[in-house]
Amino acid sequence: MSEAPEANPAPAKTHEPQPLDALTGGAFSAATSGERAARIRDWLLTEPAPEQLQEVFKELSRRDKGAARAVRERLDEIRRAKGQQAIAAEWAEKAQALLATPKLNIADAMAWQRDAAKAGAPLSREPLSLLKIQVAQRVQVIEDLQHRVQVQREAAVLLAQRIEVLSTKPWRDALAALDALRADVAHWQEQALQLSSDASWASVDMRFPPLLEASRSQLLVVWEAFQPALAQAAAAAEDAAAPLPPVPVWADELRAARGLLAEAAAKPARAARPKPDPEVLAQATELVRAALATLEKATAEGHGKASAGAAAALRAVLKAQGKHIDDKLEQQVHAALVAAGELEGWQRWSTDQVREDLVAKAEALLTRPEGQTLGGRKMQETLRHLRDQWKQADQGGAPNHALWKRFDEACNAAHKVVELWLDNVRSEAAEHKAQRLALIEEIRDWAQQQPAASGDWKAVHRALQQFGERWREGGHVGEKIFAELQPLWKQALALAAAPLEAAQKESLARRQAMIEEANALGAAATLRIDAVKALQQRWQAEAQTVPLERKHEQKLWEAFRKPLDEAFQRKSTERERAVSELSARDRMVLDAANALQAANASADAQQIRAAMQALEAALRGQAQAAQVLASAHKDAQDQGQVQEESAQDATKSVANQASEEGADQASAAPPAAAPKPAPRPVVAVRGDDRPGMKKDMLAAPGRGGRPGERRADRPGERDRNPRADDRRGERGERAGHGADRPLPEERGPRLGDTAFRAQRDAMEQAQLALKKLAALAHGEALTQLLTAWQRRDAAQVPGTQELGVPAAMRSAWTQALSAPPRGDASEALLRLEIAAQTPTPAEHIDARRMLQLQLLTRRNDPGPAQTWGQDTALVLASANDDANTHRLQRALKALLRK
């Protein structure tokens, strides 16, 4: 048994009982998150106290944020309820103060409801809902009083009109209607007294009491004048000595009853009116014409109110100056007044039509079909638009109180939808405000918990961006609330972003230093690629460590890379300039190519061939010049050295010169002295940097050299392989057939890109031009041959060079043309078409197929492709025909090309 001490086993993790577990019904000891959330919801149904909710949320948010969400929502709801209670109490006091005032202003009552809605007060809950109803009822009572005042005013006008009408009728009819009229006047006075004694009469608009008082005074004046006149008429009817009433109709009636003559007949004739002054007549006419022109202008423009004012002004002028105008002007005045009256009546009618349309639209707002119901905001805008239209209609005509009442009731009924929508908006605004406040507290806690030297600035930047997105998506709140929350949010965000801003400031200084370093590297005469790469790596590391604003970082990056890009661009430009500079050999080839291009433009075959030979000579001269330069360079390296091993491959002149110099040295030196071997030239080689290879080993053969340089011509190649010539000779002898093969032509250094492209394009265009000229010459020769056949003139047959055929074939053609026409050329034409593989006319297709079958049986006979010259002679020997001419032309056109 080992004496080594045993390791103490780790104590098993024990779950201490959570004090809040029993309170929440076992939520903290639940096995899963879903079960914990279910127990939390069941516990919330018991309506726990806010202190317990806060304690449970604080403990549960550390373990399960998903289950703690329900507790947080309940806390937010309680917080919102408290806030709304305070707001409700404040606006309830204001409403009670409004209701307690003896004189209530309707504008103040409407402003209370509007301002309470903007402040987020719960108008749909008690006590504000009851106070809102009371305020609305109080406003309704005041509006009813104002409406009744207008009705009483119209009733007073109607009573006065009844009295005036009775004064134009017989006095007995007026006496019969006296009792009913007295009752109506008394009833009107009673209603007017009730209006003035109402408790809300003090709240009526101040323009309505004077209207009611004026109507009462006017009605009483007419009534008090009517009663004594009627009593006097009754007394005069009973007593002939009694005075007559002041009413003219009643006085005439009583005179007629008494048997007296009319007062008009009894009066003496009026004296002749004096003739008025001409200046007075002219002035009166001018005034009436001015008023008449104003009325006609207003009537033509269709302005109802303007025409009414102009008509009143014209009536006033006519009343003062009517006796001084002539009959013609008076007729024009009466016609204009009639037109103005019709316009005023039309304006009143059209205004009523507009009002009826507005009433129909207002009543239809709540009777829209299903699926087309307007929302709160749309309903609010529609109601505002309808009321504005009603105001415009009131400006164009007299008011219509019956239509206004219907319109106002319909608008008030539709406004309930707007009130519900406003309540929802206010509740949502309160929720959004609570969420934004919670977000402000959260970012403050995060700023306190975030270590200042964490180093992970990208994570900090990402977290701040997430906070900003949550703030932007926090929902809509009122302008006043947003103005209160925005400074708090900016303060909290600035506190949280302070470490990142300090790090960004330091990073900005480092990046500015790297930009200065990049400017120095770019301005240097020699561009250091390693330093540029190292600097770019430092920049990338800095950019990945500390993030900046996208636009600012992009500007810094452009300022950093600009000097480096300019340096690389300058290097590329220098490289391109070096490549584009032409050497002497390139310039020679380029000149020859330009000459060939000029020859191509001349369309002269001899000039084109001469220019092509000149260009080929320039290319060959380039190779010779390269060989001479290479030989001169090799002689400069091997000057003063013995080259016995490489004498076989040198030129004859160099070999003779070397042999003569060796003979002279041999004759001049003593015979016993042996020549001292010259030191071998130092050849620079590269080490093999492949893995596993030694640095002092030579590179693999064949890896060096310039393009076009043979291995045998490289420095040190012959010294390194002294037996290469012998081995090549032995291989040549063994091969037997390859000893006489010519060596490939020596190539010089490569041409420049400009010279190479120029000579290639010139050669291609020259070959194409020669082909075109040859085709043109071939067509002319064929035309001359067909003309000679048509005229049977052998002298017009082109030469062998122009036709491109042997002399024997041309001689057979001339002999056929010299003889008179004979024979049938149908089979010969078919053989020519078969040889040229050209189509045969439709009428000769069967004959061609038969001939092809016969040719298959004549295997030893020459085919049409071999005897096409003889067949042409047979065709030329026959008589000329247009159809045969076209067939022969098509066939020879293909055969002469071959």
Side-chain angles (χ1 to χ4, degrees):
M1 186 174 179
S2 176
E3 297 296 336
E6 297 182 357
N8 295 328
K13 186 176 181 180
T14 60
H15 296 279
E16 297 181 358
Q18 177 59 243
L20 300 176
D21 188 55
L23 177 63
T24 57
F28 289 90
S29 60
T32 62
S33 178
E35 184 179 356
R36 186 178 298 108
R39 293 182 181 180
I40 287 296
R41 286 194 296 269
D42 295 340
W43 176 64
L44 291 177
L45 295 177
T46 60
E47 298 294 336
E51 294 79 8
Q52 297 176 350
L53 287 172
Q54 187 67 31
E55 188 176 358
V56 170
F57 174 73
K58 183 177 180 180
E59 187 67 27
L60 190 60
S61 60
R62 302 174 183 173
R63 302 187 179 187
D64 192 347
K65 293 185 177 180
R69 186 181 298 111
V71 183
R72 185 184 61 188
E73 292 176 355
R74 177 62 62 84
L75 289 173
D76 294 342
E77 184 178 355
I78 294 174
R79 192 180 299 110
R80 287 195 301 270
K82 289 182 179 179
Q84 289 187 351
Q85 288 178 1
I87 295 174
E90 178 184 357
W91 287 100
E93 293 179 359
K94 293 182 180 180
Q96 291 175 358
L98 281 175
L99 294 174
T101 56
K103 184 178 181 181
L104 176 63
N105 192 356
I106 297 179
D108 295 340
M110 301 301 292
W112 172 83
Q113 185 173 355
R114 183 185 65 251
D115 296 342
K118 287 184 178 180
L123 294 176
S124 59
R125 301 178 184 176
E126 295 293 342
L128 292 182
S129 61
L130 181 59
L131 291 173
K132 184 176 69 173
I133 294 173
Q134 293 178 1
V135 172
Q137 291 176 354
R138 182 78 176 273
V139 171
Q140 185 66 31
V141 170
I142 297 172
E143 291 179 349
D144 290 342
L145 287 175
Q146 295 176 356
H147 179 68
R148 289 169 61 186
V149 167
Q150 295 178 352
V151 172
Q152 288 295 109
R153 184 184 178 190
E154 293 180 358
V157 173
L158 293 176
L159 287 175
Q161 290 178 356
R162 286 175 60 188
I163 295 173
E164 291 179 359
V165 170
L166 289 175
S167 64
T168 59
K169 294 182 179 181
W171 66 272
R172 296 185 184 277
D173 295 341
L175 185 61
L178 179 62
D179 296 337
L181 189 59
R182 183 183 292 109
D184 292 340
V185 172
H187 182 65
W188 186 92
Q189 292 179 352
E190 182 181 357
Q191 289 181 347
L193 183 60
Q194 291 178 358
L195 288 176
S196 59
S197 61
D198 192 279
S200 301
W201 180 253
S203 301
V204 175
D205 192 0
M206 54 189 309
R207 63 187 177 91
F208 288 98
L211 293 178
L212 182 62
E213 189 64 27
S215 299
R216 180 190 287 111
S217 61
Q218 292 176 1
L219 179 60
L220 292 179
V221 167
V222 175
W223 176 245
E224 291 176 356
F226 176 75
Q227 282 182 330
L230 185 58
Q232 188 176 0
E238 294 178 359
D239 188 3
L244 295 176
V247 180
V249 176
W250 295 348
D252 294 340
E253 182 183 359
L254 291 175
R255 287 193 191 96
R258 293 178 181 180
L260 299 177
L261 296 176
E263 184 179 356
K267 290 182 179 180
R270 294 183 178 179
R273 186 173 58 179
K275 189 175 181 180
D277 189 4
E279 295 182 359
V280 176
L281 292 177
Q283 185 178 3
T285 302
E286 184 179 357
L287 293 175
V288 173
R289 288 188 181 279
L292 179 62
T294 304
L295 178 60
E296 290 178 349
K297 182 180 178 181
T299 305
E301 293 178 355
H303 299 308
K305 288 191 174 182
S307 61
L314 181 58
R315 288 191 186 96
V317 174
L318 185 64
K319 184 177 181 180
Q321 307 293 338
K323 56 185 178 180
H324 300 307
I325 61 176
D326 54 359
D327 297 338
K328 183 178 179 180
L329 182 58
E330 187 175 0
Q331 291 179 2
Q332 294 180 0
V333 170
H334 287 302
L337 290 175
V338 171
E342 292 177 356
L343 176 63
E344 186 177 357
W346 178 84
Q347 287 283 351
R348 186 181 299 106
W349 177 82
S350 62
T351 304
D352 290 340
Q353 291 294 324
V354 172
R355 289 169 178 166
E356 289 178 359
D357 293 339
L358 294 177
V359 170
K361 291 180 181 179
E363 292 176 349
L365 290 176
L366 297 178
T367 59
R368 297 176 65 88
E370 186 176 0
Q372 300 182 6
T373 306
L374 298 180
R377 183 178 296 277
K378 187 65 177 178
M379 182 70 75
Q380 187 180 29
E381 294 176 356
T382 304
L383 290 175
R384 185 181 295 112
H385 184 62
L386 289 176
R387 290 187 180 275
D388 292 341
Q389 289 182 347
W390 187 276
K391 291 179 181 179
Q392 294 178 0
D394 279 347
Q395 295 177 1
N400 192 329
H401 300 287
L403 293 178
W404 162 251
K405 188 173 183 180
R406 287 178 53 194
F407 176 77
D408 189 54
E409 290 176 355
C411 291
N412 291 335
H415 195 266
K416 294 180 180 179
V417 178
V418 181
E419 293 178 356
L420 293 176
W421 170 71
L422 291 176
D423 292 341
N424 295 332
V425 169
R426 286 189 290 271
S427 61
E428 291 177 359
E431 294 178 0
H432 296 161
K433 179 181 178 181
Q435 293 176 2
R436 290 177 181 269
L437 289 174
L439 181 60
I440 293 174
E441 294 296 332
E442 183 177 355
I443 193 173
R444 288 175 178 173
D445 297 341
W446 179 83
Q448 294 177 359
Q449 297 174 2
Q450 190 70 17
S454 61
D456 192 2
W457 299 115
K458 296 188 73 174
V460 174
H461 186 260
R462 192 183 307 111
L464 291 175
Q465 287 183 343
Q466 291 176 358
F467 280 121
E469 291 178 0
R470 289 173 59 186
W471 178 262
R472 287 190 295 271
E473 298 173 358
H476 175 73
V477 293
E479 297 180 358
K480 184 178 180 181
I481 299 177
F482 186 78
E484 296 175 357
L485 296 179
Q486 187 69 8
L488 300 178
W489 164 254
K490 289 184 177 180
Q491 182 181 1
L493 186 63
L495 179 62
L500 177 61
E501 292 177 355
Q504 289 177 346
K505 188 176 180 180
E506 297 176 358
S507 175
L508 183 60
R510 291 192 293 268
R511 296 191 193 194
Q512 292 291 348
M514 285 189 281
I515 291 174
E516 296 296 333
E517 189 174 352
N519 291 329
L521 287 175
T526 303
L527 183 61
R528 296 174 52 195
I529 305 299
D530 54 346
V532 172
K533 289 184 178 180
L535 185 60
Q536 290 178 346
Q537 291 176 359
R538 287 167 52 197
W539 183 276
Q540 293 296 334
E542 184 66 27
Q544 294 175 1
T545 303
V546 182
L548 297 177
E549 188 181 357
R550 180 64 180 174
K551 294 182 179 179
H552 192 193
E553 189 170 4
Q554 185 65 24
K555 290 181 179 179
L556 291 175
W557 168 247
E558 291 176 357
F560 172 75
R561 61 178 291 184
K562 181 179 179 181
L564 301 180
D565 291 346
E566 291 178 353
F568 280 107
Q569 184 66 25
R570 185 168 61 253
K571 185 176 180 181
S572 301
T573 304
E574 293 175 357
R575 188 186 299 112
E576 293 176 358
R577 187 185 303 111
V579 171
S580 62
E581 291 179 355
L582 297 176
S583 62
R585 304 178 188 87
D586 292 349
R587 191 174 294 106
M588 179 175 59
V589 173
L590 189 60
D591 294 340
N594 293 333
L596 182 56
Q597 292 285 5
N600 294 336
S602 65
D604 190 352
Q606 294 182 359
Q607 292 184 8
I608 293 174
R609 291 190 180 92
M612 291 177 65
Q613 292 177 2
L615 180 58
E616 292 175 355
L619 294 174
R620 287 195 300 271
Q622 177 184 0
Q624 294 173 2
Q627 183 177 2
V628 172
L629 290 176
S631 300
H633 181 67
K634 184 176 181 181
D635 293 339
Q637 288 183 350
D638 299 338
Q639 185 178 4
Q641 299 180 3
V642 180
Q643 299 180 352
E644 297 177 353
E645 297 180 358
S646 61
Q648 297 178 1
D649 294 335
T651 60
K652 184 181 292 186
S653 60
V654 177
N656 294 334
Q657 184 178 1
S659 62
E660 291 175 1
E661 291 177 359
D664 295 341
Q665 291 177 2
S667 61
K676 185 177 180 181
R680 296 181 63 183
V682 179
V683 180
V685 298
R686 65 181 290 274
D688 198 337
D689 54 357
R690 292 177 295 172
M693 302 299 292
K694 296 181 179 180
K695 299 297 182 181
D696 56 351
M697 293 179 63
L698 296 177
R703 294 176 60 88
R706 296 184 298 274
E709 181 183 20
R710 293 186 301 174
R711 293 174 57 188
D713 295 339
R714 299 174 189 168
E717 185 70 23
R718 294 176 181 267
D719 298 338
R720 191 164 59 250
N721 298 317
R723 300 176 61 186
D725 295 338
D726 297 338
R727 289 197 297 269
R728 283 196 294 271
E730 294 175 359
R731 287 196 298 269
E733 292 177 359
R734 288 196 300 268
H737 62 277
D740 298 335
R741 180 182 301 173
L743 295 175
E745 183 181 358
E746 182 71 21
R747 293 192 306 170
R750 292 180 58 185
L751 289 172
D753 186 69
T754 305
F756 174 76
R757 293 179 182 274
Q759 63 88 19
R760 183 187 63 183
D761 295 341
M763 292 294 288
E764 291 178 354
Q765 294 181 9
Q767 294 173 1
L768 183 60
L770 290 177
K771 288 182 181 180
K772 290 182 179 180
L773 292 174
L776 182 61
H778 167 69
E780 293 178 354
L782 182 58
T783 303
Q784 294 177 4
L785 178 62
L786 294 177
T787 304
W789 180 32
Q790 183 179 4
R791 299 179 179 180
R792 309 296 300 179
D793 187 3
Q796 294 185 5
V797 177
T800 57
Q801 186 175 2
E802 296 176 357
L803 290 174
V805 298
M809 186 179 297
R810 181 184 179 279
S811 177
W813 291 357
T814 55
Q815 291 177 6
L817 292 174
S818 300
R822 67 180 183 278
D824 185 11
S826 59
E827 184 176 354
L829 285 172
L830 291 176
R831 291 177 65 87
L832 286 173
E833 290 171 350
I834 293 173
Q837 296 181 357
T838 57
T840 302
E843 60 270 15
H844 301 291
I845 289 179
D846 295 337
R848 178 173 177 171
R849 291 177 180 173
M850 184 62 68
L851 179 60
Q852 288 176 344
L853 292 176
Q854 294 176 4
L855 292 176
L856 290 176
T857 60
R858 304 172 187 173
R859 297 185 178 180
N860 295 327
D861 294 347
Q866 299 174 358
T867 63
W868 67 273
Q870 301 173 8
D871 296 334
T872 304
L874 293 176
V875 174
L876 294 176
S878 63
N880 183 271
D881 187 8
D882 292 341
N884 293 340
T885 301
H886 292 310
R887 293 175 66 184
L888 180 62
Q889 183 180 6
R890 286 197 301 267
L892 290 180
K893 193 173 184 180
L895 291 172
L896 290 177
R897 290 178 181 177
K898 299 179 179 180

